[in-house]
Amino acid sequence: MRARLYLDVDGVVNATNARLIWGDEESASVTLHSVVGPDKVFTVVWAPALIAALDDLRADFDLDLVWLSTWNEGHSVLTGLVPAFGGLERGRILPYHPEEKVHGEASGWWKARSILDDQAAAPAPFIWIDDVEIELHGYRMLNAPTGMSVLMIPTNTMAGLTPDDVTKMRSWLEQLSGKADR
């Protein structure tokens, strides 16, 4: 069964210290205008080595890449970020639906709800990487009745996804696919 990778952008791929963590001589960056207003401009910084490592995982394990970010609004992740990254192509996005916050509910619930809906439509083992929402809503994945294996990786906003995190993902995927036994 093909595993799925639910990937956030900010605090995961877009991280101020990414080049230091990944040992790149220079980080890569792009400045984009927000689709929600012309006065909003964002600079996204990433490590090219991280993009290459994620693409290697996708190739080695045929991972289904699913973007789960506020950058999904207006398809900005696909039209602005992915071409700049020079990798992580052919992913799909889940709709950005920031519903009204329910009293007592932490923000970001739309991400967990989107994963649960996606899993209900087509269950698959999955990895969820996010810098904030896993701590707030990860328990919902553990309690979900999907019966699928789940790996959640909460990242540090400034560091983003690290080489150790990618190693953890690779080990989990090897066990899942049985490649670790060969």
Side-chain angles (χ1 to χ4, degrees):
M1 178 173 290
R2 186 177 188 203
R4 203 166 287 148
L5 171 60
Y6 294 104
L7 188 62
D8 186 20
V9 173
D10 296 327
V12 175
V13 177
N14 174 24
T16 305
N17 294 327
R19 79 171 174 83
L20 301 173
I21 303 295
W22 284 88
D24 284 335
E25 291 296 319
E26 294 183 22
S27 58
S29 66
V30 65
T31 301
L32 297 171
H33 292 274
S34 170
V35 296
V36 296
D39 59 338
K40 300 215 177 193
V41 178
F42 300 95
T43 299
V44 178
V45 179
W46 68 92
L50 166 59
I51 303 301
L54 289 173
D55 274 341
D56 287 347
L57 274 180
R58 290 179 64 210
D60 292 348
F61 297 97
D62 190 31
L63 279 175
D64 176 20
L65 174 60
V66 182
W67 292 100
L68 191 59
S69 169
T70 55
W71 285 94
N72 289 5
E73 186 173 15
H75 294 238
S76 294
V77 71
L78 297 177
T79 61
L81 293 179
V82 168
F85 289 158
L88 299 177
E89 297 162 342
R90 298 173 318 280
R92 62 186 173 97
I93 65 170
L94 294 182
Y96 175 57
H97 293 300
E99 70 281 344
E100 289 293 317
K101 186 176 170 187
V102 177
H103 179 70
E105 184 65 64
S107 65
W109 164 229
W110 74 271
K111 289 184 178 183
R113 183 183 311 234
S114 294
I115 291 173
L116 292 172
D117 290 347
D118 197 49
Q119 286 290 311
F126 67 89
I127 300 168
W128 180 20
I129 306 171
D130 196 288
D131 63 323
V132 175
E133 306 310 332
I134 289 173
E135 287 188 30
L136 296 174
H137 304 290
Y139 70 93
R140 294 174 193 269
M141 301 305 115
L142 296 176
N143 295 328
T146 64
M148 292 293 150
S149 295
V150 177
L151 175 64
M152 293 182 283
I153 300 178
T155 60
N156 175 289
T157 302
M158 297 300 289
L161 195 63
T162 68
D164 287 344
D165 294 330
V166 173
T167 298
K168 184 185 304 181
M169 292 166 59
R170 180 169 292 282
S171 294
W172 185 81
L173 289 163
E174 286 172 349
Q175 289 178 351
L176 190 67
S177 68
K179 287 185 178 181
D181 299 333
R182 294 181 192 166

